[in-house]
């Protein structure tokens, strides 16, 4: 029976960079999930709509999906497309929304954050284009959460069987359980030269893909081992587990230690990669070298024409502001525009929809293209493999050749985690106030050519995003960027992004930490980090 349940607002349902992310405990409070979902359904107006629902399989995914299905049906949606067992990687969900022309998608994930009963959970809304809802929509959802008084749900309906493919009914709605792995794999097959990649993978070339016990496991098994013929065991930790086996499913050098160790061993495979909790991020590792995400997107763009999807060239490129400027120099050489957007995949949406860009990426391990409207970890791995299959050179050689041609951007991100929110906000405010005094000054050997707060006017719809990070620019040579993370669930994280360009080939294989040492020190001094936070050093260097 369709019930209307009375509720009262929660004060903490403001969606961050990528939807609402909180501890599982927070989501389990009575009405908490329901309030947020009702706010989304109200803003989208789902009467008569088709909706895609799925998640990364983390703890609480199974319960939350049943609630969301009952609410979607209770709010008049007519077709609910769900991944088998409630699983959908974020890029596969984006694809399914587009393929089935759904009005929206509801994706359950806290991305790379840890899972399990004490871990994190998240809910995000994607629009009919398959991409994260734009700020205008997430603002409206937030507004709605502050005034909500009731939600609608088929309270007494039994759980839907999500293990069995096919259709069933839920109230007046049809629930369709689909095999999203094959839809997604078919899309990949249409973009890349599977014949050539298969030849490479069957030629003795060894790859290691670490799914980190998260959602990409079944997709990677199907694509790499089944369709492309990579030897069994090329995909490791392939079973999605509700707590990711206790791992932090973040493909960075700290949490993907297993992969890094394998790739730095004497008998390292030829190519290593990992993805995150919901499959949108990627890490690429060459034998003995971790490829920085900012470099990876630049190298992919420079070589993209080797894959069928981009054989006729690229319309344009884009990167988030803190991502290194390596991509800009590739765009310049290709003669295409390179857009600089705020952090958050949603800012690429309009550019992709308008056909202004073909490939985009972020320092936070996200790379993607116009085939879906999310970043896509497996897509990035496949584009790398396609390039390697055509060039038949070791990935390390391609890396060094790229640096010789375009210069190398030594790059690090220093995270100061779990700061009291007021302390982090005060630090940014203090630095913001001092920006005008920094421009034109010389720090060490570098002159500050620009010190400002980044804001962005979307070239497609003219919407403006302000307050998107503080940047201290030293011409082409170097840059420091400061911003607060929008994805954490505890306290605040200050992110400091440091980059330095080296175009002398003799100086492109130096120790990264050493090259960046002076700039790192400068970054701490300029923002008075120790003085304001008591922290002498970052908690994580990525
Ligand atoms: C999300 C967004 C990304 C963004 C990242 C930034 O990633 O989708 O576009 O780069 O957050 O995170 P932060 O605000 O913490 O720096 P994901 O993979 O967590 O959805």
């Amino acid at each position: 029976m369709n019930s209307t349940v009375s509720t009262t607002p929660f004060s903490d349902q403001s969606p961050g960079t990528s939807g609402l992310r909180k501890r599982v405990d927070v989501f389990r409070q009575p009405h908490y999930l329901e309030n947020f979902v009702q706010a989304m359904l109200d803003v989208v107006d789902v009467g008569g709509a088709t909706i895609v629902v799925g998640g990364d399989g983390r703890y609480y995914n199974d319960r939350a999906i049943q609630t969301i299905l009952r609410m979607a049906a209770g709010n008049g949606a007519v077709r609910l497309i769900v991944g088998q067992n409630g699983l959908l990687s974020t890029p596969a969900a984006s694809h399914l929304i587009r393929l089935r022309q759904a009005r929206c998608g509801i994706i359950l994930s806290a991305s790379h954050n840890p899972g399990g009963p004490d871990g994190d959970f998240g809910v995000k809304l994607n629009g009919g284009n398959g991409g994260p809802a734009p700020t205008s929509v997430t603002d409206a959802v937030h507004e709605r959460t502050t005034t909500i008084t009731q939600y609608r749900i088929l309270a007494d309906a039994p759980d839907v069987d999500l293990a069995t493919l096919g259709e069933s009914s839920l109230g007046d709605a049809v629930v369709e359980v689909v095999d999203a792995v094959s839809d997604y794999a078919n899309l990949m097959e249409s973009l890349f030269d599977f014949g050539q990649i298969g030849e490479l993978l069957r030629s003795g070339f060894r790859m290691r893909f670490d799914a980190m016990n998260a959602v990409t496991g079944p997709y990677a098994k199907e694509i790499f081992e089944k369709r492309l013929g990579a030897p069994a065991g090329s995909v490791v930790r392939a079973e999605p587990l509700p707590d990711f086996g206790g791992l932090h499913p973040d493909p960075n050098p700290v949490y993907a230690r297993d992969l890094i160790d394998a790739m730095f061993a004497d008998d390292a495979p030829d190519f290593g990669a990992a993805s995150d909790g919901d499959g949108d991020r990627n890490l690429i590792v060459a034998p003995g070298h971790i490829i920085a995400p900012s470099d990876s997107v630049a190298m992919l763009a420079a070589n993209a024409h080797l894959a069928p999807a981009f054989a006729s060239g690229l319309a344009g490129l884009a990167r988030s502001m803190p991502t290194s400027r390596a991509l800009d120099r590739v765009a310049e050489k290709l003669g295409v525009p390179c857009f600089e957007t705020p952090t958050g995949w949603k800012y690429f949406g309009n550019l992709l929809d308008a056909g202004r860009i073909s490939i985009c990426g972020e320092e936070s391990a996200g790379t993607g293209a116009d085939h879906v409207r999310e970043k896509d970890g497996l897509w990035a791995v496949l584009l790398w493999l396609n390039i390697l299959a055509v060039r038949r050179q070791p990935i390390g050689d391609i890396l060094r050749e790229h640096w010789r041609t375009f210069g190398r951007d030594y790059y690090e991100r220093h995270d100061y985690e779990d700061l009291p929110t007021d302390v982090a906000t005060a630090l940014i405010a203090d630095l913001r106030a001092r920006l005008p005094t920094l421009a034109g000054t010389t720090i060490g050997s570098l002159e500050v050519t620009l010190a400002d707060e980044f804001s962005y006017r979307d070239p497609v719809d003219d919407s403006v995003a302000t307050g998107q990070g503080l940047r201290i620019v030293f011409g082409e040579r170097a840059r420091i960027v400061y911003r607060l993370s929008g994805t954490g669930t505890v306290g605040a994280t200050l992110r400091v992004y440091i980059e330095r360009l080296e175009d002398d080939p003799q100086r492109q294989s130096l120790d990264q930490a050493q090259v960046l040492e002076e700039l790192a020190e400068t970054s701490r001094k300029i923002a008075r980090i120790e003085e304001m936070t008591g922290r002498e050093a970052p908690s994580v260097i990525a």
Side-chain angles (χ1 to χ4, degrees):
M1 195 189 61
N2 198 358
S3 319
T4 300
V5 180
S6 295
T7 186
T8 50
F10 291 88
S11 60
D12 63 344
Q13 295 201 321
S14 170
T17 315
S18 202
L20 184 68
R21 271 184 206 168
K22 300 283 176 195
R23 294 271 182 202
V24 166
D25 274 355
V26 174
F27 268 104
R28 287 168 113 175
Q29 297 171 82
H31 309 310
Y32 192 89
L33 173 70
E34 290 85 346
N35 277 16
F36 189 71
V37 171
Q38 186 64 52
M40 292 195 296
L41 297 177
D42 284 346
V43 168
V44 176
D45 180 13
V46 294
T50 294
I51 303 182
V52 168
V53 187
D56 64 10
R58 67 179 55 229
Y59 186 83
Y60 203 52
N61 194 71
D62 50 354
R63 295 312 316 147
I65 284 206
Q66 297 290 348
T67 300
I68 291 169
L69 293 177
R70 285 191 189 99
M71 289 187 66
N75 278 270
V78 292
R79 179 165 288 266
L80 306 169
I81 302 177
V82 194
Q84 191 172 21
N85 297 316
L87 295 180
L88 281 179
S89 78
T90 290
S94 180
H95 176 52
L96 207 50
I97 294 168
R98 296 163 65 79
L99 187 69
R100 303 296 303 274
Q101 298 178 335
R103 190 167 302 166
C104 68
I106 298 178
I107 302 178
L108 311 182
S109 170
S111 187
H112 52 288
N113 295 12
D118 301 322
D120 291 340
F121 191 72
V123 180
K124 75 171 191 157
L125 176 66
N126 282 33
N129 71 345
T135 310
S136 55
V137 173
T138 52
D139 284 352
V141 171
H142 179 217
E143 180 61 35
R144 187 81 192 103
T145 66
T146 62
T147 56
I148 191 161
T149 55
Q150 56 184 39
Y151 59 83
R152 284 179 293 284
I153 186 164
L154 296 185
D156 306 324
D159 278 3
V160 179
D161 169 12
L162 297 179
T164 312
L165 295 176
E167 295 188 351
S168 60
S169 52
L170 179 61
D172 294 334
V174 173
V175 179
E176 184 183 343
V177 178
V178 298
D179 170 6
V181 171
S182 62
D183 279 336
Y184 177 83
N186 293 343
L187 173 67
M188 293 299 115
E189 206 160 348
S190 74
L191 301 172
F192 300 111
D193 188 336
F194 269 38
Q196 229 168 344
I197 301 173
E199 270 172 39
L200 175 76
L201 292 179
R202 291 188 299 270
S203 70
F205 178 96
R206 290 190 303 138
M207 73 172 285
R208 180 184 176 96
F209 179 83
D210 190 339
M212 300 189 85
N213 302 323
V215 78
T216 47
Y219 296 84
K221 280 259 175 208
E222 168 71 20
I223 293 172
F224 299 127
E225 295 187 6
K226 213 161 140 206
R227 297 202 185 187
L228 290 166
S234 300
V235 179
V236 300
R237 298 199 282 199
E239 194 192 334
L241 301 174
D243 66 348
F244 307 115
L247 279 182
H248 194 140
D250 189 351
N252 69 23
V254 178
Y255 298 119
R257 196 68 242 168
D258 259 33
L259 175 70
I260 308 295
D261 287 346
M263 294 306 295
F264 278 69
D266 289 342
D267 63 342
D270 300 291
F271 176 81
S275 194
D276 70 332
D278 62 331
D280 55 2
R281 297 185 174 209
N282 74 92
L283 174 71
I284 305 292
V285 192
H289 187 90
I290 299 165
I291 302 192
S294 295
D295 269 355
S296 180
V297 65
M299 291 169 196
L300 290 177
N303 292 283
H305 59 281
L306 301 176
F310 304 111
S312 56
L314 305 174
L317 299 167
R319 62 166 172 83
S320 66
M321 186 274 280
T323 304
S324 94
R325 295 172 290 179
L327 189 64
D328 305 38
R329 298 194 299 279
V330 173
E332 200 180 331
K333 179 146 186 242
L334 295 176
V336 298
C338 186
F339 298 88
E340 186 178 39
T341 60
T343 293
W345 204 261
K346 62 186 172 191
Y347 292 105
F348 295 132
N350 279 344
L351 294 167
L352 289 164
D353 283 349
R356 307 268 293 259
I357 58 172
S358 309
I359 289 181
C360 43
E362 297 187 280
E363 55 68 39
S364 56
T367 333
D370 48 9
H371 64 291
V372 290
R373 293 294 179 272
E374 287 279 4
K375 51 192 186 281
D376 189 342
L378 286 170
W379 170 90
V381 175
L382 282 163
L383 180 50
W384 262 114
L385 288 173
N386 202 145
I387 292 164
L388 293 170
V390 175
R391 291 188 56 166
R392 293 283 175 152
Q393 279 172 285
I395 184 169
D397 290 1
I398 294 178
L399 183 74
R400 282 179 286 277
E401 188 186 313
H402 186 94
W403 290 339
R404 277 197 299 280
T405 311
F406 293 96
R408 173 176 181 184
D409 300 82
Y410 286 97
Y411 188 89
E412 274 178 2
R413 189 178 86 190
H414 292 199
D415 291 340
Y416 298 82
E417 295 178 321
D418 205 4
L419 296 171
T421 305
D422 54 341
V423 168
T425 316
L427 183 145
I428 291 287
D430 172 68
L431 181 56
R432 180 185 291 123
R434 288 185 292 108
L435 287 176
T437 65
L438 290 169
T441 60
T442 300
I443 304 174
S445 55
L446 294 166
E447 193 200 331
V448 179
T449 53
L450 176 79
D452 74 351
E453 181 159 31
F454 181 62
S455 61
Y456 176 69
R457 178 180 291 277
D458 186 303
V460 179
D461 68 8
D462 272 340
S463 58
V464 173
T466 56
Q468 297 296 322
L470 308 180
R471 35 180 200 184
I472 318 281
V473 183
F474 306 91
E476 294 293 304
R477 307 308 314 165
R479 192 174 67 143
I480 304 173
V481 170
Y482 303 84
R483 64 177 279 280
L484 300 182
S485 158
T487 58
T489 55
V490 189
T493 295
L494 169 69
R495 301 207 196 282
V496 184
Y497 310 82
I498 297 163
E499 75 189 76
R500 183 163 199 143
L501 172 62
E502 181 54 72
D503 40 27
D504 175 357
Q506 303 303 318
R507 299 183 48 81
Q508 289 175 345
S509 300
L510 304 176
D511 179 69
Q512 174 166 295
Q514 252 171 20
V515 171
L516 294 175
E517 200 176 344
E518 189 194 332
L519 209 54
E521 180 59 28
T522 301
S523 77
R524 288 190 280 273
K525 277 199 189 131
I526 292 183
R528 300 178 179 161
I529 292 180
E530 189 176 346
E531 202 180 317
M532 299 204 52
T533 69
R535 302 279 178 89
E536 282 172 34
S539 19
V540 176
I541 298 184

